[in-house]
């Protein structure tokens, strides 16, 4: 298994490099079809302004590793069309709700992104799913799941940590993970890893939703009464949990990547930290650094790589 994944890793470098050069999307006409009454979080996260200005995630590849993934179709209307699906979708609606928040016409934060969905079947397979998304050019991947020590052996955990560390450090993966729903001090895996963006859930009133009360490590989004698709035939309802807060952050990251495809994981983290709505002093166990917000990047925004290149060019010429 490790040989297979290491072989995949070599291929990942090429595809990930091309992913960072995803097509820059102009503000050509996008006709909003989101349900502003149901998808109330779009306005409260600053998303509607970007959607209306043509920043919709177009040209950005987003990965999802979950259960119950696939296209969402209502009669003859396709509400969400995945760019690719790996595995046989289960009947579980969990992944359907997650991917709908990221990319559907009705609820999606980044409705024109290209969604790559992997049907995960367990601990080892979910790591394979992250690699699959990465090798398909996804720079950001959503994982609204988590594992406890009852779910893996020590050797499996060591292997999985190494794989994720490689994806983040060597290939620039931005991994967004739901914080979990148990109010205790113990983070599950991979949320406990440094570099993984951990997202907690709060209520619309910006209070604790009774989810991961003690360890929203990085940021928070909404995790209560969230409108979601409950089937791939477009049945809808509401759900709660950090599972549905995480894809809000993933979708917002896609909006930032559309504006500047060369942003690195660390730069994205810094932008999220700077733009988020501060709900407490410093880093709170309930809110992390704060409620994520989608904003327009300054026209003159430069990545660290661009700054370094300009410095090097200046030194060379002088």
């Amino acid at each position: 298994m490790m040989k297979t994944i290491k072989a995949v890793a070599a291929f990942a470098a090429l595809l990930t490099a091309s992913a960072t050069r995803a097509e820059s999307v102009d503000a050509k006409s996008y006709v909003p079809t989101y349900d502003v009454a149901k998808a109330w979080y779009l306005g409260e996260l600053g998303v509607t302004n970007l959607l209306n200005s043509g920043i919709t995630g177009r040209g950005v590849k987003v990965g999802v590793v979950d259960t119950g993934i696939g296209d969402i179709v209502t009669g003859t209307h396709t509400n969400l069309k995945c760019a690719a699906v790996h595995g046989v979708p289960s009947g579980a609606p969990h992944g359907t709700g997650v991917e709908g928040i990221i990319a559907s016409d009705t609820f999606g934060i980044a409705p024109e992104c290209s969604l790559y969905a992997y049907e995960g079947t367990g601990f080892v397979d979910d790591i394979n799913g992250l690699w699959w998304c990465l090798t398909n050019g996804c720079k950001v991947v959503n994982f609204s799941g988590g594992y406890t020590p009852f779910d893996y052996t020590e050797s499996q955990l060591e292997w999985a940590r190494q794989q994720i560390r490689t994806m983040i450090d060597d290939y620039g993966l931005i991994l967004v993970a739901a914080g979990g729903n148990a109010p205790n001090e113990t983070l599950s895996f991979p949320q406990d890893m440094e570099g993984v963006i951990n997202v907690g859930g709060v209520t619309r009133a910006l209070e604790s939703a009774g989810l991961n009360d003690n360890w929203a490590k990085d940021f928070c989004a909404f995790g209560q009464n969230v409108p979601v698709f409950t089937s791939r035939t477009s049945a809808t309802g509401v759900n709660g949990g950090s599972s549905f807060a995480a894809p809000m952050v993933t979708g917002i990251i896609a909006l930032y990547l559309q504006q500047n495809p060369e942003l690195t994981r660390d730069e994205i983290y810094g932008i999220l930290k700077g733009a988020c709505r501060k709900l407490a002093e410093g880093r709170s166990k309930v809110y992390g650094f704060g409620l994520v917000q989608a904003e327009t990047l300054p026209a003159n925004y430069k990545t660290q790589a661009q700054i370094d290149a300009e410095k090097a060019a200046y030194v060379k010429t002088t």
Side-chain angles (χ1 to χ4, degrees):
M1 181 65 71
M2 285 190 66
K3 288 183 178 179
T4 301
I5 290 185
K6 286 182 178 179
V8 171
F11 184 50
L14 296 175
L15 289 175
T16 304
S18 65
T20 63
R21 297 187 296 271
E23 62 176 288
S24 178
V25 181
D26 57 29
K28 66 182 180 182
S29 60
Y30 165 73
V31 180
T33 56
Y34 54 82
D35 190 329
V36 69
K38 286 186 177 179
W40 48 266
Y41 52 83
L42 295 177
E44 299 188 25
L45 296 176
V47 173
T48 50
N49 291 335
L50 270 64
L51 294 180
N52 294 338
S53 68
I55 300 174
T56 59
R58 192 183 310 133
V60 179
K61 294 182 178 182
V62 178
V64 173
V65 178
D66 216 306
T67 55
I69 45 80
D71 298 346
I72 300 174
V73 181
T74 310
T76 59
H77 173 67
T78 300
N79 203 303
L80 185 154
K81 176 66 177 177
C82 295
V85 176
H86 182 282
V88 179
S90 67
H94 188 274
T96 308
V98 167
E99 64 184 9
I101 292 171
I102 297 172
S104 68
D105 290 345
T106 304
F107 301 134
I109 286 175
E112 293 195 308
C113 74
S114 297
L115 194 71
Y116 289 76
Y118 188 99
E119 182 77 23
T121 61
F123 183 78
V124 172
D125 190 51
D126 285 344
I127 303 300
N128 292 336
L130 299 180
W131 275 118
W132 179 85
C133 293
L134 187 58
T135 55
N136 274 286
C138 299
K139 192 169 183 176
V140 57
V141 179
N142 189 91
F143 181 62
S144 288
Y147 291 96
T148 71
F150 297 103
D151 300 315
Y152 48 74
T153 65
E154 284 300 314
S155 60
Q156 285 178 326
L157 178 62
E158 181 181 355
W159 166 81
R161 286 190 183 281
Q162 179 185 4
Q163 298 302 312
I164 292 178
R165 188 81 277 140
T166 298
M167 286 184 255
I168 293 174
D169 291 348
D170 295 350
Y171 302 125
L173 176 67
I174 304 169
L175 179 57
V176 180
N181 302 326
N184 57 56
E185 294 281 353
T186 304
L187 280 169
S188 54
F189 175 84
Q191 290 86 342
D192 60 343
M193 287 189 65
E194 189 66 30
V196 175
I197 299 177
N198 175 299
V199 182
V202 296
T203 69
R204 192 173 182 180
L206 303 180
E207 299 172 343
S208 169
L211 314 168
N212 50 288
D213 294 318
N214 298 311
W215 35 259
K217 183 165 70 74
D218 295 306
F219 304 102
C220 67
F222 296 108
Q224 187 182 75
N225 294 325
V226 178
V228 295
F229 286 108
T230 57
S231 77
R232 292 192 299 280
T233 55
S234 291
T236 62
V238 295
N239 213 327
S242 57
S243 284
F244 305 103
M248 295 180 188
V249 177
T250 300
I252 287 175
I253 290 173
L255 299 182
Y256 282 125
L257 287 173
Q258 178 187 349
Q259 296 177 72
N260 191 332
E262 295 184 1
L263 290 169
T264 66
R265 182 265 170 206
D266 289 344
E267 288 164 340
I268 283 287
Y269 193 92
I271 291 168
L272 291 173
K273 185 177 177 181
C276 71
R277 181 177 173 186
K278 309 302 188 291
L279 301 173
E281 277 295 321
R283 193 177 196 172
S284 162
K285 290 184 177 180
V286 174
Y287 305 116
F289 288 111
L291 181 72
V292 289
Q293 296 289 299
E295 293 184 353
T296 303
L297 289 176
N300 61 349
Y301 184 90
K302 295 179 181 179
T303 65
Q304 187 60 47
Q306 291 169 326
I307 294 171
D308 292 343
E310 289 182 3
K311 286 181 179 179
Y314 175 78
V315 170
K316 184 176 181 181
T317 57
T318 55

